[in-house]
Amino acid sequence: MHCGCSFATPALSPRLPLEIKTSVSKLRASSPRTHTQINHSDDLTEKSPATRVSLPSHVDSITSTSNPFVKHCLKLRQSASYRHAHGSVLVVGAIPIREVCMFQTNKQGGVATEIECLLLHEEAQVPQGLESLGVRVVRVSSLVMKKLAGVQSIESVEAVALMRIPSSFIDLKDDEDIITDCKKWFPSAHRVLVLDSIQDPGNLGTLIRSAMAFNWDGAFLLPGCCDPFNDKALRASRGASFQLPIVSGNWNHLKLLQREFQMKLLAGHPATQKPVSRLSLEFAQSLAEKPLCLILGSEGHGLSEQSRQVCELVSIPMEGEFESLNVSVAGSIFLFMLQ
């Protein structure tokens, strides 16, 4: 699909070297480092972030963009390798922060310690729903907030959170992890979204959000996908990247998952090539009890050759002369119909 839509039936990271002492509650225990396999095209800084960055416990406000802590946070936003090496990510905006916290509260019966530090604009009130988090709050100037948020206007940005990359994200390293028990990747594997070289963070984030909204069990990222914790992907997912189990791996890992759960592979594809099945209510109902993977390809290049060979191709019926839809639009339709 020029829209890139293809459908197939188918670690925790180390404790952040950043030492933030909170007088209210302890942060979550450390976890083993994940091996990042995702596309690091957003890397703008050095890839060996071994330097320990500390924010003294007495600091409750930051006004300079030259502050080492600000520089650390900026690198977290700009560099995928830096994010995953530190196991931390910046989440911009009160709404996605609140959605992550609400999900953790509902899931675990109490607020999980995903937030390591909450950065608030110096004149802002603590956003509604975040008052009782019990985490360290640091006030920052407008200049610092603009720098951290990466937006031209901060009128709608009142909070930025430094959060742990969730344990629900698993990065499989090449074929070294092929013996991994794939039953541990997803709590359930009845419906898994598979993204094939989706490089646009807005599309990837939107698809993760749609998968979460339509109760899919998780997302599997094949090589060439952008980082789901890229700042643009996070904005598009509205916190869903912290809620939906996500696995980054290769085709060997995906085949292992398929064999283990006897999954059918479907791939979204334009109807210009035959044979292609047509998405319909009857088609969706015929697969209701069958575990499946839905594979979506990149908008620029469509499905990979391997996806086209092993998947049943499915198209969305359309009127007029339109050849395809944007991958996030087409993917959301598939996710809704096949849920």
Side-chain angles (χ1 to χ4, degrees), residues 71-133:
K71 292 182 178 181
H72 167 72
C73 291
L74 187 60
K75 290 177 184 178
L76 290 176
R77 183 171 64 79
Q78 294 177 329
S79 169
S81 61
Y82 194 89
R83 279 191 294 274
H84 288 274
H86 284 277
S88 296
V89 63
L90 279 190
V91 180
V92 179
I95 293 177
I97 295 172
R98 185 161 48 239
E99 288 184 353
V100 172
C101 293
M102 289 176 60
F103 172 78
Q104 293 294 336
T105 300
N106 295 333
K107 178 182 178 182
Q108 302 180 11
V111 177
T113 54
E114 292 289 347
I115 298 182
E116 298 188 324
C117 185
L118 186 64
L119 307 172
L120 293 182
H121 187 271
E122 55 192 357
E123 297 179 356
Q125 299 294 319
V126 177
Q128 184 178 2
L130 302 181
E131 308 94 330
S132 58
L133 290 181

Side-chain angles (χ1 to χ4, degrees), residues 19-179:
E19 297 179 338
I20 301 180
K21 300 178 181 178
T22 170
S23 60
V24 185
S25 62
K26 293 183 178 179
L27 301 179
R28 188 173 59 184
S30 61
S31 46
R33 175 172 298 185
T34 57
H35 301 281
T36 306
Q37 186 186 52
I38 50 181
N39 186 353
H40 288 178
S41 60
D42 60 342
D43 284 358
L44 301 178
T45 55
E46 63 268 22
K47 299 186 177 182
S48 301
T51 304
R52 182 178 295 273
V53 182
S54 298
L55 185 64
S57 58
H58 67 275
V59 175
D60 58 9
S61 67
I62 301 175
T63 59
S64 172
T65 57
S66 298
N67 185 287
F69 177 72
V70 174
K71 292 182 178 181
H72 167 72
C73 291
L74 187 60
K75 290 177 184 178
L76 290 176
R77 183 171 64 79
Q78 294 177 329
S79 169
S81 61
Y82 194 89
R83 279 191 294 274
H84 288 274
H86 284 277
S88 296
V89 63
L90 279 190
V91 180
V92 179
I95 293 177
I97 295 172
R98 185 161 48 239
E99 288 184 353
V100 172
C101 293
M102 289 176 60
F103 172 78
Q104 293 294 336
T105 300
N106 295 333
K107 178 182 178 182
Q108 302 180 11
V111 177
T113 54
E114 292 289 347
I115 298 182
E116 298 188 324
C117 185
L118 186 64
L119 307 172
L120 293 182
H121 187 271
E122 55 192 357
E123 297 179 356
Q125 299 294 319
V126 177
Q128 184 178 2
L130 302 181
E131 308 94 330
S132 58
L133 290 181
V135 296
R136 182 177 183 180
V137 174
V138 176
R139 296 284 178 172
V140 299
S141 65
S142 297
L143 190 60
V144 170
M145 181 61 77
K146 184 176 180 180
K147 192 81 169 180
L148 293 177
V151 295
Q152 292 299 317
S153 174
I154 61 170
E155 291 182 3
S156 61
V157 180
E158 50 188 349
V160 173
L162 180 65
M163 306 183 76
R164 300 292 294 169
I165 291 178
S167 60
S168 56
F169 174 76
I170 299 175
D171 198 355
L172 303 174
K173 186 178 181 181
D174 301 323
D175 289 337
E176 294 180 15
D177 295 318
I178 201 65
I179 60 174

Side-chain angles (χ1 to χ4, degrees), residues 128-311:
Q128 184 178 2
L130 302 181
E131 308 94 330
S132 58
L133 290 181
V135 296
R136 182 177 183 180
V137 174
V138 176
R139 296 284 178 172
V140 299
S141 65
S142 297
L143 190 60
V144 170
M145 181 61 77
K146 184 176 180 180
K147 192 81 169 180
L148 293 177
V151 295
Q152 292 299 317
S153 174
I154 61 170
E155 291 182 3
S156 61
V157 180
E158 50 188 349
V160 173
L162 180 65
M163 306 183 76
R164 300 292 294 169
I165 291 178
S167 60
S168 56
F169 174 76
I170 299 175
D171 198 355
L172 303 174
K173 186 178 181 181
D174 301 323
D175 289 337
E176 294 180 15
D177 295 318
I178 201 65
I179 60 174
T180 295
D181 184 2
C182 61
K183 292 182 179 180
K184 297 179 180 179
W185 298 350
F186 305 106
S188 172
H190 185 67
R191 290 289 186 271
V192 174
L193 171 65
V194 179
L195 302 182
D196 186 0
S197 299
I198 302 293
Q199 298 178 347
D200 182 273
N203 285 335
L204 186 139
T206 299
L207 287 166
I208 289 176
R209 184 181 180 187
S210 294
M212 186 72 195
F214 299 131
N215 201 33
W216 282 57
D217 298 309
F220 190 100
L221 309 184
L222 287 168
C225 287
C226 69
D227 184 5
F229 300 101
N230 170 293
D231 60 333
K232 293 181 180 178
L234 285 175
R235 281 199 292 269
S237 71
R238 293 286 287 273
S241 296
F242 285 82
Q243 303 172 38
L244 187 74
I246 300 174
V247 174
S248 176
N250 59 33
W251 267 101
N252 289 331
H253 300 123
L254 183 59
K255 289 177 182 177
L256 180 66
L257 184 72
Q258 179 196 12
R259 288 194 300 268
E260 180 67 35
F261 294 98
Q262 295 297 299
M263 305 182 81
K264 181 177 179 62
L265 298 179
L266 295 179
H269 202 269
T272 54
Q273 299 182 17
K274 304 296 182 179
V276 178
S277 301
R278 290 168 63 88
L279 181 65
S280 65
L281 181 60
E282 293 73 23
F283 180 83
Q285 290 176 339
S286 70
L287 298 172
E289 303 302 322
K290 179 69 175 176
L292 66 84
C293 293
L294 172 65
I295 298 180
L296 304 176
S298 71
E299 206 158 313
H301 304 286
L303 290 171
S304 65
E305 183 62 31
Q306 188 158 9
S307 293
R308 288 195 294 270
Q309 290 179 356
V310 302
C311 297

